[in-house]
Amino acid sequence: MISLSAFLWISSLLFAIGIAGMIINRHNLVVLLMCIELLLLSVNTNFVAFSHYLNNIDGKIFVFFILAVAAAETAVGLAILMVLYRQRGTIEIDKMDVLNG
Amino acid sequence: MLNAFPTTLVVFYAFAALLIASAFMVILSRHPVQSALYLVLAFFASAALWIMMQAEFLGLILILVYVGAVMTLFLFVVMTIPMHTIPIDKTRLLYIGYGSLVLVLFLGVMAKIIHPLNHIVFQLNNFQAPGISGATAIGESLYTTYVFPFEIAGFLLLVAIIAAISLSWKTDRRKIINDVSAQVNVKAKDRLKIVKMKAEKPQQDSTEPVQHD
């Protein structure tokens, strides 16, 4: 049977890939939002793994709520992105330096 | 021998490798459409892993909600905004170097945490009663103990709907809307301008011969 640490390794590797993606993709805000999705996916995998191996259903309930909040976050984030593109004509993060004094 | 073949291990490692590979392709591919499609693949592989952990309801919810709704939204936005392929230049290679450094550091920290867990044996038994599916167990807990957070989550989704629509509503489109209070409150001097001036004689045509007395 597969051990708990195998799932924990996978989810931590996924989390590390998400953080690395946030650093790499400075060019595009959409890919940055996708990296946030990767982070949430790894956290959810952790919750499901612990819920399964500790015989506790609360972890799965929490995954349910994380899915709802992540869907709301993505919808509002993409709406902000559309407004940003309409006003500035670009979604590159390097060009967002209006507040830079 | 059928029993000797480790089916569970093979399935686990296949989907884990698929998940990690597609996650790498999300952050390394050069066009956002490719990133979105690889993210869909990552969600499918992750749902398979969750189903291996007896979370079949959550795995199917992940496919339905994420692949069906969220990734469709991502693809809409990606295809609405014109994007070009990211060139592989010196800056990108530098960022990839920084990213892999952070990845190695984070994995080092996590190794320190996860490694002691290797020796702990968790007891594996199905905590659900034999006749109860996972969806039933989640539903029983969700609608009794967690009913108030459940309602708050619903309200949060409503707020997100309102926020998304009001943000992306174009305000500069031509609207034909009567502002009733402005119509009622208008004064005569706002509409009508009275200009005082002297009376003028009608101008005589210059082509006519002028009569001098």
Side-chain angles (χ1 to χ4, degrees):
Chain A
M1 199 60 198
I2 302 145
S3 63
L4 171 65
S5 55
F7 284 106
L8 293 187
W9 269 117
I10 284 175
S11 70
S12 59
L13 189 54
L14 204 60
F15 200 88
I17 290 172
I19 294 177
M22 286 191 160
I23 294 169
I24 290 171
N25 288 295
R26 305 286 284 275
H27 218 70
N28 202 322
L29 198 50
V30 178
V31 186
L32 214 73
L33 282 172
M34 290 181 200
C35 290
I36 295 178
E37 299 298 326
L38 279 182
L39 298 184
L40 286 167
L41 188 68
S42 81
V43 170
N44 281 341
T45 305
N46 246 356
F47 266 116
V48 172
F50 273 110
S51 163
H52 178 57
Y53 284 95
L54 295 178
N55 285 337
N56 195 338
I57 194 114
D58 291 347
K60 289 177 184 172
I61 305 286
F62 214 96
V63 170
F64 196 81
F65 288 127
I66 291 176
L67 288 181
V69 173
E73 169 253 327
T74 307
V76 176
L78 287 175
I80 290 174
L81 194 109
M82 289 303 291
V83 175
L84 193 74
Y85 177 71
R86 218 179 280 151
Q87 295 215 336
R88 309 281 311 275
T90 180
I91 54 166
E92 288 185 27
I93 302 165
D94 295 336
K95 302 249 174 81
M96 293 178 198
D97 48 2
V98 182
L99 283 180
N100 196 354
Chain B
M1 289 291 284
L2 198 65
N3 286 334
F5 187 71
T7 316
T8 319
L9 275 181
V10 168
V11 171
F12 172 76
Y13 281 114
F15 279 112
L18 186 66
L19 174 61
I20 298 302
S22 54
F24 265 115
M25 287 310 291
V26 168
I27 67 169
L28 289 179
S29 68
R30 294 169 59 200
H31 200 278
V33 175
Q34 289 177 5
S35 292
L37 293 177
Y38 277 115
L39 192 56
V40 169
L41 190 61
F43 281 133
F44 269 111
S46 186
L49 287 185
W50 290 12
I51 289 171
M52 287 187 70
M53 288 185 281
Q54 294 182 359
E56 63 279 340
F57 177 69
L58 287 175
L60 293 177
I61 282 288
L62 185 78
I63 291 176
L64 283 178
V65 171
Y66 267 85
V67 179
V70 174
M71 292 316 295
T72 314
L73 204 63
F74 264 108
L75 281 174
F76 263 120
V77 171
V78 166
M79 292 178 177
T80 306
I81 297 174
M83 291 172 187
H84 31 257
T85 309
I86 303 165
I88 298 182
D89 52 356
K90 217 172 172 181
T91 331
R92 175 133 175 111
L93 288 179
L94 187 70
Y95 284 154
I96 287 177
Y98 284 147
S100 44
L101 180 70
V102 168
L103 192 141
V104 169
L105 280 178
F106 185 83
L107 280 183
V109 174
M110 289 311 287
K112 190 82 177 162
I113 300 170
I114 296 176
H115 190 65
L117 291 175
N118 280 333
H119 310 293
I120 301 172
V121 178
F122 289 94
Q123 54 171 5
L124 257 184
N125 43 5
N126 39 355
F127 55 86
Q128 298 148 10
I132 293 180
S133 67
T136 313
I138 287 179
E140 277 180 358
S141 185
L142 192 63
Y143 294 129
T144 54
T145 317
Y146 294 99
V147 66
F148 187 53
F150 182 69
E151 287 174 357
I152 292 178
F155 187 73
L156 181 78
L157 286 175
L158 177 69
V159 171
I161 291 170
I162 295 171
I165 291 175
S166 62
L167 273 175
S168 56
W169 186 267
K170 268 189 183 176
T171 49
D172 57 353
R173 69 177 56 167
R174 293 184 65 194
K175 289 186 285 190
I176 306 175
I177 294 173
N178 289 342
D179 191 353
V180 179
S181 78
Q183 285 177 341
V184 171
N185 285 326
V186 74
K187 297 285 191 303
K189 66 178 193 318
D190 297 336
R191 296 265 171 94
L192 194 68
K193 194 176 178 186
I194 297 174
V195 180
K196 288 203 171 179
M197 57 185 291
K198 289 178 185 173
E200 285 183 357
K201 283 182 184 173
Q203 199 101 38
Q204 282 185 330
D205 205 324
S206 58
T207 54
E208 270 186 16
V210 183
Q211 303 225 342
H212 294 284
D213 290 339

